[in-house]
Amino acid sequence: MKIEMRKITQLPKTFSITSDGIELKGQIYRKTSKIFQMEAILKGSLELICDISGDLFVKFFEQPLVLYISDGIWDIQSQNSRLDDFDIIEFFDGFVDVEYILQSEIESIKMDYHIKEEQGV
């Protein structure tokens, strides 16, 4: 799912996309002429590998997500903004690729350290 940047205004635009058992649902709006803010909830379950036992297990996630998106290269030196403490996701084709963002978040979760919690203890 791609959202055309020129159609994103200061009025929040709602979106929802699901992949690999995880849903990314929220809003995106224009913060400045070249910066967009995405506020969303990442929710669902993923099959992960326990880093201690090597066992597969399913873990449920529900976490808020706030991302900043740039239309083109984000040059922190030339911007008079309070966003300098945040990571900015850069897109170069005039579209926000929500599928790419979701896949990146899923891969980030998978690469994190996971421990299977024992049931019934």
Side-chain angles (χ1 to χ4, degrees), residues 43-57:
K43 183 177 180 179
S45 58
L46 279 176
E47 186 174 66
L48 302 169
I49 299 172
C50 177
D51 288 315
I52 294 175
S53 69
D55 294 339
L56 289 174
F57 70 102

Side-chain angles (χ1 to χ4, degrees), residues 17-36:
I17 186 169
T18 304
S19 180
D20 294 338
I22 298 284
E23 177 185 36
L24 181 64
K25 183 177 184 178
Q27 298 179 329
I28 187 168
Y29 58 92
R30 186 177 296 272
K31 193 130 173 96
T32 69
S33 64
K34 294 279 190 183
I35 297 295
F36 305 89

Side-chain angles (χ1 to χ4, degrees), residues 56-69:
L56 289 174
F57 70 102
V58 176
K59 184 171 182 179
F60 180 78
F61 294 89
E62 184 170 352
Q63 61 190 53
L65 189 63
V66 177
L67 299 172
Y68 294 91
I69 299 160

Side-chain angles (χ1 to χ4, degrees), residues 8-109:
I8 301 172
T9 65
Q10 291 177 338
L11 217 65
K13 182 176 184 67
T14 303
F15 65 88
S16 178
I17 186 169
T18 304
S19 180
D20 294 338
I22 298 284
E23 177 185 36
L24 181 64
K25 183 177 184 178
Q27 298 179 329
I28 187 168
Y29 58 92
R30 186 177 296 272
K31 193 130 173 96
T32 69
S33 64
K34 294 279 190 183
I35 297 295
F36 305 89
Q37 183 169 335
M38 177 185 286
E39 297 174 1
I41 298 287
L42 197 61
K43 183 177 180 179
S45 58
L46 279 176
E47 186 174 66
L48 302 169
I49 299 172
C50 177
D51 288 315
I52 294 175
S53 69
D55 294 339
L56 289 174
F57 70 102
V58 176
K59 184 171 182 179
F60 180 78
F61 294 89
E62 184 170 352
Q63 61 190 53
L65 189 63
V66 177
L67 299 172
Y68 294 91
I69 299 160
S70 172
D71 183 6
I73 293 176
W74 172 249
D75 181 11
I76 204 165
Q77 305 297 330
S78 67
Q79 303 298 324
N80 185 13
S81 173
R82 296 179 192 263
L83 299 176
D84 54 0
D85 293 330
F86 299 102
D87 288 329
I88 304 287
I89 300 170
E90 299 170 331
F91 288 105
F92 300 98
D93 61 356
F95 291 87
V96 175
D97 189 344
V98 182
E99 175 71 26
Y100 170 81
I101 292 171
L102 176 56
Q103 290 303 320
S104 295
E105 291 299 318
I106 290 171
E107 289 306 312
S108 179
I109 290 169

